[in-house]
Amino acid sequence: MAVNQHDVIIIGAGAAGLMCAISAGQRQRDVLVIDHARKPGNKIMVSGGGRCNFTNYYIEPDRYLSRNPHFCKSALSRYTQWDFIAMVDKHGLPYHEKEEGQLFSDLKSKAILDMMLKETGQAGARVQLKTEVDKIRTLPEGKAPYRYQVSTNQGDYQCQSLVIATGGLSMPTMGATGFGYQVAEQFGLNILPGKAALVPFTLQPEEKELTEPLSGLSTPAVLSCNKKSFTGSLLFTHRGISGPPVLQISSYWNPGDELQIDLLPGTDLKEILKDGRQNRPKTELKTLLSDYFPARLSKALCEQWFKNKTLSELSNADIDHIASCLHQWQPRISGTEGYRTAEVTLGGVDTDELSSKTMEAKKAPGLYFIGEVVDVSGHLGGFNFQWAWSSGWVAGEVV
Ligand SMILES: Cc1cc2nc3c(=O)[nH]c(=O)nc-3n(C[C@H](O)[C@H](O)[C@H](O)COP(=O)(O)OP(=O)(O)OC[C@H]3O[C@@H](n4cnc5c(N)ncnc54)[C@H](O)[C@@H]3O)c2cc1C
C-alpha cells in the first residue's frame, strides 16, 4: 500500500486537535487530522448543556490544576480568550455571559463546532474520520524530513510532526480512550496518575435517605475540601449530589477526604433559632427552615435529621446541633460517578516532559501533546476549552 506523507498529522479531531490544525494550516503546512470516531468534536457538541461554554472572560492560571501550576501560563498568554472571542465574532456567532465570566453560545454547541470545522477547511487541513491507529513508529534518519509513521486501518501515513490530541478518559461513550497515555508511555514520557474530575459525588446509603427523595432539587451552598471552597447551587440527585460547586470541589477531593457543606451560607442559624425561640415560640422548626430552604427540603430535614418541634421546645443543645448540621454538613461520600459522567480527567502527560512554549516532547523531537491529555485541567466555566484552544494553537505555530 502506498504511504501517504504529510507535514503534520494530528490524532484527535476534538477541540485541541482542530485548533492545532487551524493554526498549522494557516502557516501553509499540509495537515491531516485523524480520529477513530464517526464524527469530529463530540465533546464540543455536548458541552455546556448543549450551548458550549467556549471560554471565560477571566482566564487565569490559578483556575487550572497541574503538578506544575506555571506550565499553562505560556500557552494561555499567547492564545487568549480574546483571540477565541475574536474568532467567534468574526463568524457572527451570538453568545452571552452566564455568570462569573462564563461565555456560552446563544446557538446550539454545533455552531461552535461548525465554526471550527469551517476554519479547519479554510486553512487547508483535512479531517479523516473512522481511522483507527494501530501503531506509531519512529522512522530512521534516512527518511528525513519524515520522522514518524502512523499505521492505521486506512493505511500508513508519514509525517514530520505528530500531534497527540486524543483527550482524557472522561466519557468513554463519546470516544474517549487512553490512547494518548499509551503513546506517551511508548516514548518514555512520565504520566501522572489520572482521576475523574468535575464529577458528581455518590453518597453512602444512610445519606441517601435524605437526598434521594430530594432528587432534582437545588439549594445554594458553600462546599469546602482541602482548603478550597466553591459557592453555588447544590443539586440533589438520586445517587448523591451534583451542581456546579460539587463538580468544582470534586477536582480537589480524594477518597477518604472530608467534604464540608454549608447549606445556609451567609446566615447565622444559631442566632436565627435563638431569636425565633424568643420572638415566635409557637412556630414549628419546619416552618422556620422553610424561610431559608425550599419547602420540600425543610420537610425532609425535619423528618430525617431533626425532630420537628415548636421553637420554644428547642434546647440550646438542639440549636447547636441543628446549626452545625446545616452549616457544617459532612456527607458520607461513597465515591464519584467516575469517568462515565466526568467532564475532565485530572493528571496525564507530565508537563515536565513538554516544552510549555510549543508542547513538544523534550525526549521525542517532532512529537507534541495538546489539550486534556496533558496534566492541565481547568475549573468548570470554559477553562478547559480555553486550555484546548491555547495549547492547540501554540503547537500549530511550530509543527
Ligand atoms: C459532558 C461534557 C461537557 C463539557 N462542557 C464543557 C464546557 O462547556 N466548557 C469547557 O470548557 N469544557 C467542557 N468540557 C470539557 C471539554 O470538553 C474538554 O476539556 C475538551 O473537549 C478537551 O479537548 P481535547 O481536544 O483535548 O479532547 P477531546 O475534545 O476529548 O477530543 C479528543 C478526540 O480524540 C479522539 N480520540 C480518542 N482516542 C482516539 C484514538 N485512539 N484514535 C483516534 N482518535 C481518538 C476522540 O474521538 C476525540 O474526537 C465538557 C466535557 C464533557 C464530557
Side-chain angles (χ1 to χ4, degrees):
M1 203 185 289
V3 175
N4 303 283
Q5 293 179 320
H6 297 276
D7 295 339
V8 183
I9 290 182
I10 300 168
I11 307 182
L18 292 175
M19 184 55 98
C20 184
I22 294 167
S23 108
Q26 287 178 355
R27 291 174 43 239
Q28 315 305 321
R29 300 291 279 162
D30 162 30
V31 182
L32 177 70
V33 186
I34 60 181
D35 201 296
H36 66 162
R38 283 175 36 244
K39 290 182 179 161
N42 277 333
K43 282 199 187 156
I44 299 177
M45 285 293 282
V46 297
S47 64
R51 302 267 171 194
C52 190
N53 177 195
F54 55 82
T55 193
N56 193 294
Y57 278 140
Y58 311 114
I59 297 289
E60 293 291 343
D62 67 359
R63 305 304 299 265
Y64 292 87
L65 292 91
S66 171
R67 195 170 73 170
N68 175 0
H70 304 292
F71 181 84
C72 62
K73 290 180 181 171
S74 174
L76 291 174
S77 68
R78 281 163 51 228
Y79 186 87
T80 68
Q81 66 272 43
W82 310 112
D83 293 316
F84 194 79
I85 292 166
M87 188 194 289
V88 173
D89 285 338
K90 185 179 96 183
H91 287 257
L93 299 180
Y95 58 89
H96 59 280
E97 180 184 357
K98 208 165 175 186
E99 55 192 19
E100 297 174 347
Q102 301 170 4
L103 297 189
F104 282 76
S105 170
D106 288 358
L107 307 171
K108 296 228 163 90
S109 299
K110 185 171 178 298
I112 299 291
L113 176 59
D114 287 346
M115 173 191 83
M116 294 300 291
L117 292 172
K118 192 168 176 192
E119 288 277 340
T120 303
Q122 283 172 351
R126 196 161 65 81
V127 179
Q128 181 178 299
L129 301 167
K130 297 189 227 163
T131 304
E132 304 278 348
V133 178
D134 297 327
K135 205 164 71 187
I136 292 172
R137 71 178 177 94
T138 311
L139 291 168
E141 299 251 315
K143 297 279 181 190
Y146 297 98
R147 279 187 175 132
Y148 295 101
Q149 175 154 316
V150 181
S151 302
T152 79
N153 61 344
Q154 309 284 337
D156 289 345
Y157 300 84
Q158 292 181 349
C159 58
Q160 300 175 21
S161 297
L162 178 60
V163 184
I164 308 299
T166 46
L169 292 172
S170 47
M171 297 227 167
T173 49
M174 224 155 270
T177 66
F179 178 83
Y181 311 130
Q182 289 159 26
V183 178
E185 206 169 66
Q186 179 186 338
F187 287 90
L189 274 53
N190 189 39
I191 299 156
L192 297 172
K195 142 183 145 171
L198 299 183
V199 62
F201 286 116
T202 55
L203 299 182
Q204 303 270 2
E206 56 274 27
E207 298 283 7
K208 281 202 274 181
E209 281 174 21
L210 173 77
T211 59
E212 208 166 9
L214 296 174
S215 176
L217 188 141
S218 50
T219 189
V222 178
L223 280 81
S224 309
C225 182
N226 289 326
K227 299 191 183 139
K228 275 278 170 187
S229 288
F230 292 95
T231 304
S233 200
L234 176 144
L235 173 73
F236 293 99
T237 69
H238 64 287
R239 290 160 58 87
I241 48 173
S242 186
V246 174
L247 302 187
Q248 297 278 33
I249 206 79
S250 72
S251 298
Y252 293 90
W253 177 89
N254 292 302
D257 287 348
E258 229 159 55
L259 173 68
Q260 188 157 300
I261 304 181
D262 184 351
L263 288 168
L264 281 171
T267 65
D268 183 343
L269 187 60
K270 215 188 258 188
E271 282 310 306
I272 292 167
L273 289 170
K274 281 185 180 160
D275 181 73
R277 187 170 61 181
Q278 184 114 32
N279 296 318
R280 42 195 282 210
K282 292 197 177 116
T283 302
E284 288 186 353
L285 175 62
K286 188 173 68 181
T287 312
L288 180 134
L289 291 181
S290 64
D291 289 348
Y292 299 91
F293 291 120
R296 195 147 65 98
L297 176 55
S298 65
K299 182 167 172 278
L301 287 169
C302 290
E303 282 165 6
Q304 303 287 341
W305 281 5
F306 320 120
K307 243 172 111 185
N308 191 30
K309 297 176 177 177
T310 61
L311 299 183
S312 66
E313 290 172 305
L314 294 177
S315 67
N316 284 342
D318 287 336
I319 288 179
D320 287 349
H321 172 68
I322 295 166
S324 91
C325 284
L326 294 177
H327 282 306
Q328 289 137 31
W329 178 30
Q330 291 180 359
R332 276 153 292 183
I333 296 170
S334 61
T336 72
E337 292 279 4
Y339 289 118
R340 191 177 59 84
T341 61
E343 282 201 14
V344 288
T345 305
L346 237 61
V349 178
D350 189 344
T351 56
D352 281 355
E353 303 280 11
L354 307 175
S355 153
S356 62
K357 291 199 170 59
T358 63
M359 311 302 290
E360 187 175 23
K362 293 173 188 166
K363 288 178 188 154
L367 179 66
Y368 299 77
F369 290 82
I370 57 173
E372 200 181 317
V373 72
V374 179
D375 172 39
V376 174
S377 310
H379 284 180
L380 193 77
F383 298 96
N384 284 298
F385 276 137
Q386 187 59 46
W387 169 246
W389 314 136
S390 298
S391 58
W393 179 268
V394 298
E397 288 278 271
V398 293
V399 287

